[in-house]
């Protein structure tokens, strides 16, 4: 159900809370993907349960720490990142792994109900969970980091941040070219071909805006709308940042 706001609890209601829990529904996970759907988001939930409210209201700082924890969890024995790489390597082999992994870093799961349409005739408990959406993160932290960099550049016009953004835009353009052969030969990878191509198109336009301080904005709204569409149960996570670059004042 949709709602505009969850009303704060009254002191009397808050006093009745004994604890909390986070549920992991397993219709769309298996032993390979389970950990990537629990962590590191469970760390944010735990912090809300255990810390004073005034310490957990800084969204940007929460993401800063979640990104760090995302790497540290491997040191504790979790395989949430390693297992995602295994899915991709089994899908395309070593030759295209790096390029595909780079693209998948910037996409994440879409709406649960839309994912159900990927299975023909239907999803069974015996259905292998070995598609791109299973390798993609529940939320893309590299995409969050890019969108944050764009926000910082918009506010500061810092040349160092601008160069970091330009480097990434060029890599996305090149990566789309590297993936073209596997799009044509692999049905599972083809599901996200539109993400790669939309990313490349918008990256070229954003690059033009940054390097020439001007851009032809004809059909930009249509391109952005297309880039926001789900493909293969996944969403491209950097569209908001790219839009901000393209639409930024000249």
């Amino acid at each position: 159900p949709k709602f505009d706001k969850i009303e704060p609890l009254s002191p009397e209601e808050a006093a009745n809370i004994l604890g909390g829990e986070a549920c992991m529904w397993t219709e769309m996970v298996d032993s390979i993907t389970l950990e990537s759907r629990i962590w590191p988001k469970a760390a944010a939930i735990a912090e809300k349960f255990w810390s004073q409210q005034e310490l957990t209201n800084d969204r940007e700082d929460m993401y800063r720490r979640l990104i760090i924890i995302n790497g540290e969890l491997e040191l504790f024995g979790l395989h949430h990142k390693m297992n995602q790489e295994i899915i991709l390597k089994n899908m395309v082999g070593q030759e295209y792994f790096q390029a595909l992994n780079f693209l998948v870093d910037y996409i994440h799961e879409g709406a649960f109900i839309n994912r159900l349409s990927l299975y023909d005739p239907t999803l069974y408990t015996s259905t292998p969970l070995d598609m791109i959406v299973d390798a993609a993160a529940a939320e893309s932290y590299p995409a969050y980091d890019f969108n944050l960099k764009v926000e910082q550049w918009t506010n500061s016009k810092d040349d160092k941040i601008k160069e970091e953004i330009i480097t990434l835009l060029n890599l996305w353009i090149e990566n789309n070219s590297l993936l073209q052969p596997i799009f044509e030969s692999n049905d599972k990878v083809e599901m996200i071909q539109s993400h790669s191509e939309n990313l490349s198109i918008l990256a070229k336009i954003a690059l033009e805006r940054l390097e020439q301080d001007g851009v032809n904005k004809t059909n930009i709204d249509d391109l952005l709308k297309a880039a926001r569409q789900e493909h293969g149960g996944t969403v491209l996570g950097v569209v908001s940042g790219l839009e901000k670059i393209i639409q930024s004042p000249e």
Side-chain angles (χ1 to χ4, degrees):
K2 294 184 178 181
F3 52 85
D4 295 323
K5 180 181 178 181
I6 299 176
E7 293 297 330
L9 299 178
S10 68
E12 294 77 15
E13 290 170 330
N16 290 328
I17 295 179
L18 300 179
E21 67 177 11
C23 298
M24 177 66 242
W25 303 106
T26 57
E27 291 90 339
M28 293 291 187
V29 297
D30 60 12
S31 61
I32 298 294
T33 62
L34 177 64
E35 290 180 352
S36 69
R37 297 312 182 251
I38 296 176
W39 301 102
K41 282 191 170 183
I45 296 171
E47 183 176 81
K48 276 292 187 182
F49 288 158
W50 293 337
S51 300
Q52 296 180 9
Q53 183 175 352
E54 58 268 23
L55 300 178
T56 64
N57 291 332
D58 189 332
R59 179 177 181 271
E60 187 172 318
D61 188 58
M62 177 196 72
Y63 273 103
R64 179 189 65 80
R65 290 177 290 116
L66 278 177
I67 291 169
I68 294 172
I69 290 172
N70 194 42
E72 291 182 343
L73 288 173
E74 292 277 336
L75 301 177
F76 299 142
L78 293 175
H79 295 160
H80 63 305
K81 293 168 64 180
M82 182 190 308
N83 286 344
Q84 291 175 327
E85 294 178 1
I86 289 172
I87 294 172
L88 296 179
K89 286 180 179 178
N90 288 337
M91 191 180 300
V92 299
Q94 193 62 45
E95 181 180 2
Y96 291 100
F97 167 71
Q98 294 294 341
L100 183 58
N101 191 49
F102 182 57
L103 173 60
V104 172
D105 271 348
Y106 293 94
I107 65 177
H108 56 81
E109 281 187 303
F112 179 85
I113 191 66
N114 293 341
R115 183 173 173 183
L116 293 175
S117 65
L118 302 179
Y119 302 97
D120 185 20
T122 188
L123 176 70
Y124 299 101
T125 56
S126 58
T127 302
L129 299 179
D130 57 358
M131 294 191 288
I132 293 291
V133 66
D134 299 300
E139 180 179 7
S140 169
Y141 293 149
Y144 170 82
D145 185 63
F146 171 77
N147 293 332
L148 180 62
K149 273 189 172 64
V150 172
E151 183 74 25
Q152 292 169 341
W153 171 77
T154 302
N155 294 331
S156 68
K157 295 297 189 268
D158 184 278
D159 286 339
K160 182 179 178 182
I161 297 175
K162 179 180 178 180
E163 287 305 312
E164 291 176 358
I165 293 172
I166 288 174
T167 297
L168 196 50
L169 295 175
N170 279 311
L171 288 173
W172 283 335
I173 295 168
E174 179 186 4
N175 203 64
N176 180 56
S177 298
L178 294 175
L179 287 171
Q180 289 306 312
I182 199 68
F183 288 143
E184 296 173 5
S185 61
N186 189 306
D187 291 342
K188 291 179 180 177
V189 183
E190 185 186 16
M191 287 183 176
I192 60 166
Q193 181 174 1
S194 292
H195 282 327
S196 183
E197 294 178 349
N198 288 332
L199 179 58
S200 178
I201 291 169
L202 290 176
K204 289 176 183 177
I205 298 172
L207 198 59
E208 179 183 345
R209 166 67 185 88
L210 290 172
E211 293 184 334
Q212 300 179 16
D213 201 32
V215 63
N216 182 356
K217 297 184 178 180
T218 304
N219 296 326
I220 289 296
D221 289 342
D222 290 339
L223 291 172
L224 291 169
K225 182 178 179 180
R228 289 191 176 95
Q229 298 300 308
E230 286 192 27
H231 299 284
T234 65
V235 176
L236 184 60
V238 295
V239 179
S240 62
L242 290 166
E243 179 179 18
K244 185 161 288 189
I245 295 172
I246 294 167
Q247 304 287 23
S248 61
E250 298 179 6

